[in-house]
Amino acid sequence: MATGQARPAGERPDGTPFLVVGEVVTALVQHSTPLTNPACQEILRIRPGSTVRAATRPTPFAVSPATAVGVHCTLPTASGARVEGVGTVVAQATVTGGRLVQTSARAVLSARAFDYRAPWSYYLANPGLIEVRGRTDIDDLVRGCVSFVDGEAASSLDLGAVCTRLLDRVQRSPLLDRRRVLRAPRTRLRWVAVYSPAARLAGGMPSGTVSPSAGESPPSVELVIHDDVTRSLVIGPTGAGDDRLGLLAEDVARHDWLLSTLLRFVDDQRSSAHVDGAGGHAVASLVDLFHLWMPGALVPAELATVWPELEAGPAFSRQWVNLVGHVRDQIALAGVTPTPPARRIPVMEPRLS
Amino acid sequence: MAAVFREATATPRTVEVPLSHVSVELGHLYADDLHDDADLSAHFAAIAPWVTPDRLGSLARLRSQRLRASTCFLIDDYSSPIKPPSIVIPRIIAAAADQAVPIDYIARESGCATGSPISPAELVASQIVPDPAWGTNASRPPLSQAGWLSNGQRAPARSLTRAMGAATPSMPPRENGARKHSVFVDIELWSEAGYSCAFLASVWQLVRLGLLRAEGQPPVVAEPVDLASLPESWTDLPPLIQVASRPHPFCAYRTFSVLDGRFLPVEHAVRTILSQVQVEPTPLAQTRRRGSAEGIDVPEQVPARTSYLFLGP
């Protein structure tokens, strides 16, 4: 939630926050051309009377108001141990570059011994807080939250469903023509951030209130690509606020999606079976995504170490630059040789360039 | 030196509203209570002893601050037609002034239900986050009965129980977070006939608490009117009018409603609704910050900002 304001000390909820869990679903906006920023604001007005934040730098983006969803259920654990949580999940939708839509849900897990639930108004006054009852093994919860095993407990917290419902709602906007111009996957990234002991000691909801203490080492990062569409990200230990961690997860998900989409496009081009009649549109739509590659540009400074780590390992940007170069070469080749390659990667139509 | 860059549209502004310490509602009357022979003086005479400055100061948790209290009265022009403002409003103002409880602001109930481009009621309806029963894991949209809101888990439908066999014991409804025993309520928010009294009364509380915003602006703002030339039609009257010359602000950290005991079930419904409305975090935080700046602890939870006195006959 947009709780940018710091809470005065002593007025935080009781309990100890220990984990932030979230999920991000990323997809292509179902529209034949990139949306203007006013159009993005319109499709993201998911609540009447609410304001949609929008900006043009470093890249055009618009963010829907946050909505809360109430939950009272078990939480996923790797061991199957029963852990119960009650509170709210906050979710919001974002459109970047008028092309790429993301829905994101998250909650801070906080341990509090409670016999009876607090009045519901307490949870609504602390959006994005889930209070956890029972003996909690943090590692067990972390592994449970990022697993994508078949037949996972159908009754435990389902952040993905929150994201999917919100995404479907945005994609159903009457402003969209729902034309599929590019074969692009709808990816899901589940993420978990573990709070450092210092942040846990500070107590309360660290919504932008806990700054990493001096000398705290940068958080470790583990990004796993499970299959074509599912990814998981584990960050920690950290003292960053849940809203900032959400921005990081969305940034990673966005770039992973861009890379996955480009990879799929190149794959499709290689297997002629997948080349469809809308080739020109597809190339134009793909080129529209090139300028969105800006890893870390929207990530808060306290989490700035995460991208360099990802670049040092999987070398996202090098792969992206190589693939973009490859596609541009193909386009150039298609422009000079009206032979088979041109059929496989048609020249962009001038009105779309 | 770090560069500062921001875009104004990236951080939308939420307008702050002037705030009193407490907003006092001087009773409520149904449309049919306003008939020609009704003794309005008796209504205000019963309320007057309970809204003295020392009582209000204690209710507003003041220590040494100078009390800022405003009084208001909500006229029910929504549930059934009543006589025009030019007749009703002067009668009410005079009766209250006679009992030394002058009215600062008058609102018409239909002003909560209508409005352009969005009515306060629509705004509140879009902000309801139902209290989840055990087992709610967000995999499906919140179980809702269109137009109804409860504080727990409804009893399963009768046909379902029957289908499961006659031996199935009946399952009672259950209040969420109940302490051993339930006080379950199921509230009708609206129907084809319009919004319910309970729902509009919860909208009215949120308007008085200054917690509603549409596009960052308060949806209802008090407008001064000339009492000598009141309109003949309620729709020609602004939703909220200022009738005193220099009153304290209409909105307040806390509300206090002195009501006839027959309104108790409605107000239980109001508090149940208020506990399931997710108000915008910015005005919620603004009111707390402004309160603490003048040494007043404003409760975080919305229902905790409302106080009541129910009077017997």
Side-chain angles (χ1 to χ4, degrees), chain B residues 12-52:
Chain B
R13 190 162 162 262
T14 299
V15 168
E16 300 212 20
V17 295
L19 291 164
S20 287
H21 294 133
V22 57
S23 154
V24 183
E25 183 176 17
L26 299 171
H28 185 57
L29 297 168
Y30 283 126
D32 48 3
D33 296 327
L34 285 167
H35 57 83
D36 290 344
D37 315 326
D39 184 3
L40 296 182
S41 289
H43 169 88
F44 291 107
I47 293 168
W50 303 101
V51 294
T52 54

Side-chain angles (χ1 to χ4, degrees), chain A residues 112-137:
Chain A
R112 183 168 83 97
F114 61 93
D115 291 331
Y116 295 102
R117 250 171 63 166
W120 186 238
S121 49
Y122 163 81
Y123 296 102
L124 289 190
N126 295 286
L129 172 75
I130 293 180
E131 288 189 335
V132 178
R133 170 158 67 176
R135 283 191 49 205
T136 48
D137 173 344

